[in-house]
Structures are given as structure tokens and as C-alpha cells.
Amino acid sequence: FFFLDLTMKYLLSVATAALSIGLTTAAPAIVWKAGSSPASPSHISEQIDTLSLLDATLNNDDSAAASSTGLSAVIFLVGRDADGSEGLVSMASSGKLPGVQEKHAHADSIHYHVDGVESSRTVAKDARLSGGMNVVEVALDEFHRKLASLAQSDQEEESVEDAAVEGGRKVNKVEQKRRRAISEADVLIVSVTDKDNAAAIDSSIVKAIDSKVVQNVILSSIRSTDEVKRSRRMAVVDKMNKSARSASAGRRRRLDEDNENNNDDGNQQQEEGVYYVNMTPNILAGILFFFMFVMVTHLGLSCMNMIEGQDVYVKKLPAIGREV
């Protein structure tokens, strides 16, 4: 145990030093799985995004079976400190989480670079995409009520409809809807800050780890403000690089077109002195003769059509001198 405590303190000191000089680009995460008791946790330094981590944790047979009787996972997210730095490392390094340090040796895996932990809303979105389960963001007191209700037997468990009146006061519809969503939830995201009681946070995490109705427990921290700014700057740089690559590809295409135009100009220079006409003299003479033939034929037929003969024929001609 003394060696594990020294190892925990050493890892926390290294993480704190990395945060102070700005080497980390993502948040850490510790994963506990029910029924899994490895000799030592797996230390994973490769960068992994939140969606992949939740997909690997939630999409298994044990989590699917637990979702019908209990909670598939409880995710604790420690908020930023007042100065915008990461809250989990500062709380652990200052000794405010003794129970978590004791449970650290029984963790299934420890991820040092989890990308995408920007807020509880983004983590909830990734959890819905990965497992397709009911995900609800809760506070510490709501988590304790949920854990207590799951620990009760079926006969003693209070239904949501019976909870419409509590302590003589009527619960409004918004609170009833909230309680119904929590009762039907498969994954809970518990958001805590440095303003909350550190002892309450530590005991809540330990209770979730020791609970038989919780299959997976994930402890992580929202990335610091500096890391978020650095990530956004990197995204802007990547976007600029993509734009530069597309612009260079466009310049290459324009150079190819210019080379083709230059080749066309060379061919035109070789064909100087050659002229193209619409018709040859023979074709023009043939067209003129055709129009002349049509005009002469039309005149001839028109003149022949004007010839007229007498309309009345008699057998006896008039006497001479009597023609008129």
C-alpha cells in the first residue's frame, strides 16, 4: 500500500507539472468496473476521444444487463477551478480525495489524455451516441437519492406517482418530470465543482464504486480553459492548412491549364498563313446557278400561264366586212 501511495503521488505530481507547463492537451479519466479486480490498473497514455472511451465502457454485456436493474455507469465530472485550471488534479494533489486515492489501485484503467471533455453537456451527448441509453445530468443530492432508491427493495421503493406529495407539500410538474427522468436513467453524469464539499465528493465516488447497482464508474475532469483555447487554436490552424492545401491544388490545376493554353498557342503559331472559309468557289457557283435556274423557271412558267385562247367557237364565220 505504501508503494501504491507513492505511485499515486508521483503520477499526480507529474500530471500537475505537465499542466503547469502546458504539455497536456486533454483531461484524465479513471475507470472502475464492477466485478473487475485487476492486479494493477492499465495506464493508457494514448489520446482517446470521449465517444470512444464511453463506447468501450458502456457497450458490453455486463453494462447492458446492469441497465435493466441498476445504473450502467456513473460519470463524475470535476469542474474547473476559479482560475480556469483543471479541478481533478488540483483536488487530488492537495489530498482532498483520500477515498479515491485508496480506490485508485483497484481501477480498471487510467486514461491520461481524454479529448472532448469540455462540459457535462458534451459528455452527455457522447454517452447518448455511444450506448443509446437514457442519460441525465444530476447533482450530488440527486445522485444520493437515486442510489438510495436503487438500494431499496421492490416493495419499499417509492414510485414516481406516489411521490407527487412529499412532506405535506405538493410537488410541481417540473420536479415530477425531473424525478421521472432520473428514475428511468441508465447513465448519470454528476457535475461537481471546487465549491462543493470535497469530503462529500470523495464519499460519493467511493459509494458509487462500492455499490452493487452501479456497473461502471468514471472519474474525469473538464478541461482547463488554456487547453480549450489551445484546442481551438489547433482547430483553426488545421482549417488554415486545409485551405492552403486546397489553394495549392487549385494553383496546380491553373498551371496545368496554362500549359495547355501555351500548347494551343504554339499550334496556332505553326498554322499561321492558313485561312478557313465557309465554302469553296465551286460551291458558291453552284448555289448561284441554282437560284438563277429557279428564277428563270418561275418567269417562264408565269409567262406561259398568261397565254389565253378564245372561249367561243362557231361553225359559220361572219361575212367579210362584218367581223365587228
Side-chain angles (χ1 to χ4, degrees), residues 25-29 86 111-115 117 220-223 227:
T25 58
E86 191 176 319
H111 299 266
Y112 294 94
H113 295 82
V114 181
D115 191 15
V117 188
S220 184
S221 177
I222 297 176
R223 292 193 300 174
E227 293 174 2

Side-chain angles (χ1 to χ4, degrees), residues 62-72 146 150 186 212-215:
D62 295 335
S63 299
S67 62
S68 59
T69 58
L71 291 173
S72 178
K146 174 67 175 179
L150 290 175
D186 301 320
K212 296 181 180 180
V213 295
V214 179
Q215 186 64 28

Side-chain angles (χ1 to χ4, degrees), residues 31-34 53-75 127 130-136 143 146-147 150 182-189 208 211-218:
V31 181
W32 288 273
K33 292 185 178 181
L53 175 62
L54 295 176
D55 189 33
T57 305
L58 299 178
N59 292 336
N60 54 68
D61 297 336
D62 295 335
S63 299
S67 62
S68 59
T69 58
L71 291 173
S72 178
V74 177
I75 304 172
S130 61
M133 302 178 182
N134 297 326
V135 182
V136 180
F143 164 72
K146 174 67 175 179
L147 204 63
L150 290 175
I182 295 175
S183 64
E184 296 175 356
D186 301 320
V187 178
L188 295 182
I189 298 178
S211 177
K212 296 181 180 180
V213 295
V214 179
Q215 186 64 28
N216 302 291
V217 178
I218 301 176

Side-chain angles (χ1 to χ4, degrees), residues 53-321:
L53 175 62
L54 295 176
D55 189 33
T57 305
L58 299 178
N59 292 336
N60 54 68
D61 297 336
D62 295 335
S63 299
S67 62
S68 59
T69 58
L71 291 173
S72 178
V74 177
I75 304 172
F76 291 91
L77 289 180
V78 182
R80 302 185 184 96
D81 292 338
D83 56 353
S85 61
E86 191 176 319
L88 176 59
V89 174
S90 61
M91 290 181 65
S93 59
S94 60
K96 294 181 179 180
L97 302 175
V100 175
Q101 291 185 2
E102 184 179 353
K103 295 292 183 180
H104 175 269
H106 305 286
D108 183 77
S109 60
I110 301 175
H111 299 266
Y112 294 94
H113 295 82
V114 181
D115 191 15
V117 188
E118 296 185 359
S119 64
S120 59
R121 185 170 301 177
T122 58
V123 175
K125 180 180 178 181
D126 292 336
R128 294 186 184 95
L129 292 176
S130 61
M133 302 178 182
N134 297 326
V135 182
V136 180
E137 303 175 35
V138 297
L140 276 178
D141 54 348
E142 293 175 331
F143 164 72
H144 286 296
R145 285 199 300 265
K146 174 67 175 179
L147 204 63
S149 64
L150 290 175
Q152 294 175 356
S153 61
D154 296 337
Q155 292 79 11
E156 297 177 354
E157 187 174 3
E158 183 183 22
S159 63
V160 179
E161 291 77 5
D162 295 337
V165 179
E166 178 182 346
R169 68 179 184 88
K170 186 176 181 180
V171 180
N172 55 26
K173 293 183 178 180
V174 177
E175 189 172 354
Q176 291 182 27
K177 184 177 180 181
R178 174 72 175 174
R179 293 187 179 186
R180 186 180 296 107
I182 295 175
S183 64
E184 296 175 356
D186 301 320
V187 178
L188 295 182
I189 298 178
V190 185
S191 300
V192 296
T193 61
D194 56 348
K195 298 180 181 179
D196 297 328
N197 188 2
I201 297 173
D202 184 58
S203 62
S204 300
I205 298 173
V206 173
K207 285 182 181 179
I209 296 172
D210 295 336
S211 177
K212 296 181 180 180
V213 295
V214 179
Q215 186 64 28
N216 302 291
V217 178
I218 301 176
L219 175 61
S220 184
S221 177
I222 297 176
R223 292 193 300 174
S224 64
T225 306
D226 294 336
E227 293 174 2
V228 174
K229 292 180 179 179
R230 190 181 303 112
S231 177
R232 291 177 181 176
R233 285 197 298 267
M234 292 175 62
V236 172
V237 171
D238 292 340
K239 185 177 181 180
M240 293 177 64
N241 291 335
K242 290 180 180 179
S243 300
R245 286 194 295 268
S246 61
S248 62
R251 284 196 296 270
R252 285 196 297 269
R253 288 193 295 269
R254 286 195 294 271
L255 288 174
D256 294 338
E257 292 176 357
D258 293 339
N259 292 332
E260 292 178 358
N261 293 332
N262 293 331
N263 295 332
D264 294 339
D265 294 339
N267 295 332
Q268 291 177 1
Q269 291 176 0
Q270 293 177 2
E271 295 179 356
E272 288 183 357
V274 178
Y275 301 96
Y276 295 92
V277 294
N278 294 325
M279 63 186 67
T280 60
N282 294 332
I283 296 175
L284 180 59
I287 293 174
L288 293 177
F289 177 78
F290 172 75
F291 284 115
M292 186 186 67
F293 176 78
V294 170
M295 184 180 63
V296 171
T297 304
H298 178 69
L299 289 175
L301 293 176
S302 299
C303 292
M304 291 180 64
N305 203 20
M306 294 174 62
I307 300 174
E308 294 183 0
Q310 60 183 11
D311 298 333
V312 179
Y313 296 94
V314 296
K315 295 181 179 180
K316 184 179 179 179
L317 296 175
I320 297 174

